[in-house]
Amino acid sequence: MYKGSVTEEAREVLRAIELIQLGARMPVLEKELTLSRNRLIRLYRELKSASPPKGMLPFSADWYFTWLPNIHASLFYNIFLFLKDEAKCSRLDALTRAYRLYIEHCECAETERVLSFTRAWTLLRFFEGGLLALTRCTVCSGRFVRHARDAMKPATCCICAPPSRAGVTRAMLASRELAQGAADTADSSDTPDTPTSSSKRRGTSPLSEISEAMRDTLAEVKRAVDPKRNAAAGSSGNAAGKPTSHPFLPRSIPV
Ligand SMILES: [Zn+2]
């Protein structure tokens, strides 16, 4: 049962609602608010129509050092620091407002929201615990998230020096392969069946080469085995009108 004043309790409930709407999990709510666990669970169920997820919060700081999370974490933490130090917001207000501003920024930039609210909160905890620190980039002079032990060493941020494969995701590679496959299929169905186009197609993909060769062989075998079909096909497909036979089959097969 809450022991404080009614107005303070109402404020706590409003804070809890805001945090839950932003995606805060139970350990975050329990750490930041003074409401009881049962009250928080009831609030969570009312707002999300589901029980709060179980499991541990992320505990490793390494995630913040990979290039894309590092950019998003640096952006969020710089907003947070501005709101806390310059706008004189309280820690919790600065956290929620900074996260809202971060979401707005992602929407305006039409980019994926990499930093979840839990990650943002964990980032704050790592800074408060002295595990992380901000370092000024030697190129753009922007401050970015770094391990505290490396904070004094000069370094370049991930925006100024992105890794060579930055932006290339597995999903992107898969979609590229799909697009390439679709282009190959369209190419093979649109072009007429001439020896030159066939050989060109064979050069594009080993799979199409096998299937094309198999198809040719099967057609030849059918013609060699069935003289009636062979005669009908010979009038349209074979210019000489002579029955063609597969080199590995006997010349004449008794019907
Ligand atoms: Zn930079």
Side-chain angles (χ1 to χ4, degrees):
M1 199 68 193
Y2 192 78
K3 296 286 195 313
S5 72
V6 178
T7 48
E8 186 52 37
E9 186 187 5
R11 280 199 200 101
E12 284 286 281
V13 171
L14 288 174
R15 283 186 201 118
I17 290 170
E18 190 175 17
L19 288 174
I20 292 166
Q21 283 171 340
L22 286 173
R25 288 175 55 184
M26 280 304 292
V28 178
L29 297 171
E30 284 180 286
K31 193 79 188 166
E32 295 297 331
L33 302 168
T34 50
L35 295 172
S36 69
R37 182 179 168 80
N38 288 340
R39 198 98 190 267
L40 290 169
I41 291 173
R42 275 176 59 200
L43 261 174
Y44 195 99
R45 282 190 183 139
E46 273 182 35
L47 290 166
K48 297 272 184 181
S49 305
S51 296
K54 289 172 183 169
M56 289 172 69
L57 295 183
F59 54 86
S60 170
D62 292 345
W63 184 82
Y64 300 99
F65 304 137
T66 44
W67 75 278
L68 191 59
N70 189 271
I71 293 171
H72 283 249
S74 302
L75 171 71
F76 166 79
Y77 195 69
N78 277 296
I79 299 171
F80 169 80
L81 277 190
F82 175 82
L83 290 172
K84 191 166 143 295
D85 298 339
E86 307 295 326
K88 305 294 177 197
C89 292
S90 70
R91 180 184 166 278
L92 195 58
D93 272 355
L95 168 67
T96 51
R97 288 180 191 196
Y99 195 70
R100 281 196 192 281
L101 281 169
Y102 165 72
I103 293 171
E104 278 178 28
H105 181 82
C106 288
E107 284 169 359
C108 290
E110 293 179 353
T111 186
E112 188 193 351
R113 200 193 307 167
V114 174
L115 201 71
S116 66
F117 186 79
T118 307
R119 288 281 188 191
W121 181 78
T122 317
L123 179 79
L124 246 65
R125 301 277 297 167
F126 283 145
F127 268 98
E128 288 162 358
L131 192 64
L132 300 177
L134 284 178
T135 299
R136 204 167 278 282
C137 171
T138 51
V139 178
C140 68
S141 74
R143 293 186 302 170
F144 66 100
V145 175
R146 227 168 156 214
H147 203 287
R149 66 166 180 252
D150 303 326
M152 299 309 286
K153 296 176 190 168
T156 313
C157 74
C158 294
I159 301 172
C160 296
S164 57
R165 287 178 64 79
V168 181
T169 60
R170 280 183 191 169
M172 202 181 283
L173 283 172
S175 68
R176 266 189 212 166
E177 279 173 16
L178 272 174
Q180 184 65 39
D184 286 348
T185 314
D187 183 39
S188 63
S189 60
D190 290 347
T191 48
D193 193 15
T194 56
T196 49
S197 68
S198 176
S199 61
K200 206 183 285 176
R201 248 179 290 149
R202 280 171 191 175
T204 54
S205 141
L207 191 65
S208 68
E209 185 183 347
I210 291 165
S211 61
E212 191 78 15
M214 285 294 286
R215 236 179 285 140
D216 290 345
T217 311
L218 279 170
E220 281 182 15
V221 169
K222 274 182 187 172
R223 278 198 292 274
V225 170
D226 191 351
K228 286 176 190 171
R229 288 184 64 179
N230 182 23
S235 60
S236 59
N238 194 347
K242 289 178 184 175
T244 51
S245 60
H246 196 269
F248 301 114
L249 287 171
R251 287 274 171 196
S252 59
I253 298 168
V255 181

